Amino acid sequence: MAISKTYNPKEVEEKWYTNWQQKGFFRSKPNPRKDPYTVVIPPPNVTGVLHMGHMLNNTIQDILVRRARMQGKEACWVPGTDHASIATEARVVAMLKEKGISKEDIGREEFLKHAWDWKEKYGGIILEQLKKLGASCDWERTRFTMEPDMSDAVIQVFVDLFRKGLIYRGVRMVNWDPQGKTALSDEEVIHKQVNSKLYYINYQIAGEADNYLTIATTRPETILGDTAICINPNDTRYQHLQGKEALVPLINRAIPIIFDEYVDMEFGTGCLKVTPAHDLNDYELGIKHNLPVLDILNDDGTLNSKAQLYVGEDRFVVRKKIAKELEANGQLAKTEDISNNVGYSERTDAVIEPKLSMQWFLRMEELRDPALRVVNDDTIRLHPPKFKNMYRSWMENIRDWCISRQLWWGQRIPAYYLPDGSYVVALNPEDALAQAKYKTGNPNLTIADLRQDEDVLDTWFSSWLWPISVFDGFKDPDNPDIQYYYPTNDLVTAPEILFFWVARMIMAGLEYRKEVPFRNVYLTGIVRDKLGRKMSKSLGNSPDALGLIDQYGADGVRTGMLFSSPAGNDLLFDEKLCEQGRNFSNKIWNAYRLIKGWQVDENITNPNELAINWFRAKFNVAFEQIEDHFTKFRISDALMAVYKLVWDDFCSSYLEMIKPAYQNPVDAATLDATINFLEDLLKLMHPFMPFITEEIWQDIKERSDKDYLIVAAWPKAGVADSILLERMDKAQDIIAGIRNVRNSKNIPQTKALNLAIKTQEQYILTPFEPLIQKLANLPDISYVNEGPEGSLNFVIGGNEFFIPMEGAVDPAVERERLQKELEYTKGFLAAVDKKLSNERFVNGAPPVVLEKEWQKKADAEAKIKALEQSLTAIS
RNA sequence: GGGGUGUUAGCUCAGCUGGUUCAGAGCACCUGCCUUACAAGCAGGGGGUCACUGGUUCGAAUCCAGUACGCCCCA
């Protein structure tokens, strides 16, 4: 039967994925006879489409889950998405805008209907894409952070934390996104270094027409909100301004000149304009000096009436206009180009406006302490461990979490305002009413008298509950699922969200389950292009994920992503890596074709015992390494070990050793052993390359209904015959030596050669003769005491190898080569001798090291002797 | 500015508690091969003062200090 010469992923991927699903292999139920192995997916945005980061992240999760499943654990990978309040809302607003509808026109209820429609239509795309990658999630457990049960959990937690006194409402400086018209958490602000202008502006001193001071600012439009000028009291230049006032240019409003050491004398002119409403530091300074707060901006970034000028115009338009007007007035001293840090909204890319507003906050200190402890004491391990420091420093400097967002898409804050302006916090309007009646003593209040807070909660306020809420641990804290699956085992995510997701999950887990949510956190790197640039839509340097799968096969892409992906290091992605992955698939496929094509002859006795024993030993050694890599979360190294075992040891060495001559049959024992090896290799490869391995597994022999590779038992460790491994290394060196001679003299492999060996260890080499003869094409091997005349030779260890070759040897060249090698070896020996004659070394070094040095010496001496004899023979 | 972290072959990276797994892997490169599993392949090969400077030690890529450069986080 003919099998295609190249592996064709398209034909098999869909088939096996459907098959696995139908057989229920991805499903998980609590099973007391098995250990659970649980992973919760970092829920991708409901607005997202599969990108390289997802592919890397989910491939790693799938590898861990598939391996655990094969190890006989009850593997459960819970998928889902989060509602991404700001991103989704922006998406829906834009969609409505195209239809000429504004969100304010249709109101909250109607808007949310549109949002849900949008979610139903597009929200599942990314999960479908994960299936193409081979992700073995338990899809029946798919959750969404805004589905009713998950939302109930969020509200329940909010109310609980409020009652514990950890949630409060207050006016604070927040990061305001004037485009999304919402507050953002610090983590949602991206700071970029940009080129700006520093404007030097003159403020007249009140009552002194000829005197003025000069301030420097990057934001001239905010001068309209100034409420003071501040100077360092140590600044000798400005002592004469004590107790005076300055006039804000253009509007001539008088503001005090104050003194505070906060001001950096070196920056600008040493005079700082203070605008408490529009700068965090100024705000704090304002509190200290009791300054009024003058907020001159509307929520959309335009100026309001308090600014007096340019009312209704955008802040950036005003910046240009005011600079011009100041210049015309002679109050713009100069401008300078500078580079400074500006915050941008992660979602809308609008420049963030520090803005004072009434928000809800979660107090962090009490929650922080235990969450810091469990990472410090390694109850939770971060991989790689370098992130422990980062985690610690962030946690130690944590600030209260602004959890309210001025949006509609999300869980609405369960605070209800009473007619008198006070509020109650409750699970539902009925509870709120009861509380309100009690609080006011007014039994006539109705629900209509209560007004629920307009804002929703930060999306992370849902996601931090994820490992608990996906198992309904809030709704039903003792249910069998949460009891069995929680704490989960491993979490795979990006370092970027170590703080605002991972850390908070730890806090929530400890607060609500009294147990950590996971044991290991594996932090992947960022996928960059091969120039090291972060992949982004605007750069257009992100390859189409599904296109890659289409081109190289899911297995090829999975391995491609991992080939160069050490834990926690960024991955410089190059499509060539996927090509390498595809080539590997093809290599496996062809090894299978070879084996599949063999006919068995029951009458032949097994000539390959040595090769079979050798590969078994090789497999056992590699298996141990691979397991070690896995326990250290070195997934990329584990893959590389599998790759080399399959390609180098199995294909290039073992199969070549046992391969019968063309169209000759193979003996039953060899075939049997080889198929067993192949099956074990398929098992090791399966987590990385699920599709091709299942295809071969199913094709290689008849399988029963339940006999799938995806649930086959993971190999077990076995002992490795180290003596055999060592001797085979020697044999392989000899083969390589002969091939090297062939290459350098241009002798094709098809031309048979003879080999004469001068050795003290014939007994070791004899068993390997058939292998060496086969692989190096040597009809005859003989043992000699003297090298034959006119032969090419090489030395391995203390053994000399001669290939008789009339006329092929140029004695002069040969002599030079031998002489060179002799000199090198003598130098080497000298170094060893020097070490051994050093008394302090002999006394100080451990016996094992000494032993090795003596061995080195012996080997070198033997080699020198052999080389010298060869030289004499030549001349 | 504060903290973290790194610098090993052309590229991406291993290299644990100092000592033949100490200078390695994969890719790339060079040479020769369409040898009946695979040219998406086979065989062979050449590449590195382990950033720099000192120190500790019998012995340093490995430990310590400083310098240079890079990245990350925070301000």
Side-chain angles (χ1 to χ4, degrees), chain A residues 394-592:
Chain A
W394 187 77
M395 291 295 264
E396 282 167 356
N397 298 303
I398 200 165
R399 290 193 288 176
D400 288 353
W401 176 11
C402 173
I403 53 175
S404 44
R405 295 290 180 277
Q406 289 62 53
L407 297 166
W408 287 347
W409 177 243
Q411 288 92 12
R412 192 168 175 180
I413 290 175
Y416 298 83
Y417 298 93
L418 278 50
D420 67 2
S422 67
Y423 64 87
V424 295
V425 167
L427 288 171
N428 53 53
E430 292 72 29
D431 275 5
L433 181 62
Q435 278 189 54
K437 284 179 177 170
Y438 178 79
K439 186 172 178 178
T440 57
N442 175 0
N444 300 321
L445 282 176
T446 66
I447 286 182
D449 294 319
L450 301 179
R451 187 178 53 80
Q452 186 174 359
D453 197 298
E454 290 295 329
D455 292 349
V456 299
L457 289 159
D458 181 9
T459 307
W460 296 108
F461 200 83
S462 304
S463 343
W464 77 319
L465 309 176
W466 188 248
I468 304 173
S469 59
V470 293
F471 298 115
D472 290 321
F474 290 97
K475 182 172 130 191
D476 185 1
D478 297 319
N479 80 72
D481 273 5
I482 188 95
Q483 296 288 2
Y484 184 73
Y485 292 115
Y486 191 95
T488 71
N489 295 69
D490 304 330
L491 179 81
V492 181
T493 192
E496 302 155 310
I497 54 175
L498 177 60
F499 309 134
F500 53 127
W501 190 45
V502 179
R504 286 170 184 161
M505 279 191 287
I506 297 173
M507 296 179 203
L510 291 169
E511 178 72 12
Y512 288 103
R513 300 295 307 180
K514 307 294 169 217
E515 247 182 320
V516 294
F518 28 71
R519 299 286 177 202
N520 294 289
V521 180
Y522 177 95
L523 296 149
T524 62
I526 298 165
V527 183
R528 298 175 180 275
D529 67 11
K530 58 182 167 186
L531 301 175
R533 299 172 305 180
K534 207 167 165 172
M535 287 190 172
S536 72
K537 273 185 207 154
S538 50
L539 274 175
N541 59 351
S542 184
D544 168 27
L546 293 180
L548 285 174
I549 292 177
D550 205 46
Q551 204 177 342
Y552 300 103
D555 293 328
V557 176
R558 288 165 67 111
T559 46
M561 305 266 349
L562 276 171
F563 273 132
S564 174
S565 170
N569 276 9
D570 289 356
L571 179 156
L572 269 59
F573 181 78
D574 188 338
E575 217 169 297
K576 281 205 144 164
L577 294 167
C578 293
E579 201 181 311
Q580 195 187 344
R582 179 203 58 182
N583 293 355
F584 186 39
S585 299
N586 206 45
K587 186 71 190 178
I588 298 160
W589 185 248
N590 276 290
Y592 170 60

Side-chain angles (χ1 to χ4, degrees), chain A residues 235-265:
Chain A
D235 198 330
T236 50
R237 293 172 292 178
Y238 301 113
Q239 295 302 325
H240 61 284
L241 296 178
Q242 292 267 10
K244 295 190 175 162
E245 287 187 328
L247 298 177
V248 177
L250 307 182
I251 52 176
N252 288 328
R253 184 158 49 75
I255 53 174
I257 296 169
I258 60 173
F259 288 78
D260 194 294
E261 294 195 346
Y262 164 77
V263 178
D264 178 358
M265 292 190 278

Side-chain angles (χ1 to χ4, degrees), chain A residues 309-378:
Chain A
L309 300 173
Y310 308 111
V311 176
E313 295 189 60
D314 183 77
R315 51 193 171 142
F316 295 111
V317 174
V318 176
R319 181 172 305 171
K320 287 191 181 134
K321 287 191 174 176
I322 205 166
K324 259 196 188 137
E325 195 175 343
L326 287 167
E327 193 172 11
N329 258 3
Q331 285 176 293
L332 184 64
K334 62 171 176 176
T335 64
E336 250 174 30
D337 290 328
I338 62 156
S339 140
N340 65 337
N341 252 332
V342 175
Y344 289 82
S345 165
E346 187 186 24
R347 295 288 170 219
T348 67
D349 205 38
V351 173
I352 292 303
E353 195 62 54
K355 185 177 160 67
L356 279 175
S357 64
M358 181 68 86
Q359 303 287 346
W360 292 89
F361 291 88
L362 175 56
R363 211 180 297 282
M364 287 274 103
E365 273 167 33
E366 291 88 335
L367 294 170
R368 178 269 311 271
D369 292 340
L372 179 54
R373 199 177 318 123
V374 292
V375 170
N376 271 340
D377 68 13
D378 287 336

Side-chain angles (χ1 to χ4, degrees), chain A residues 13-23:
Chain A
E13 291 181 357
E14 177 105 28
K15 175 179 71 183
W16 292 121
Y17 199 86
T18 312
N19 223 308
W20 290 327
Q21 262 192 296
Q22 281 170 354
K23 299 271 179 187

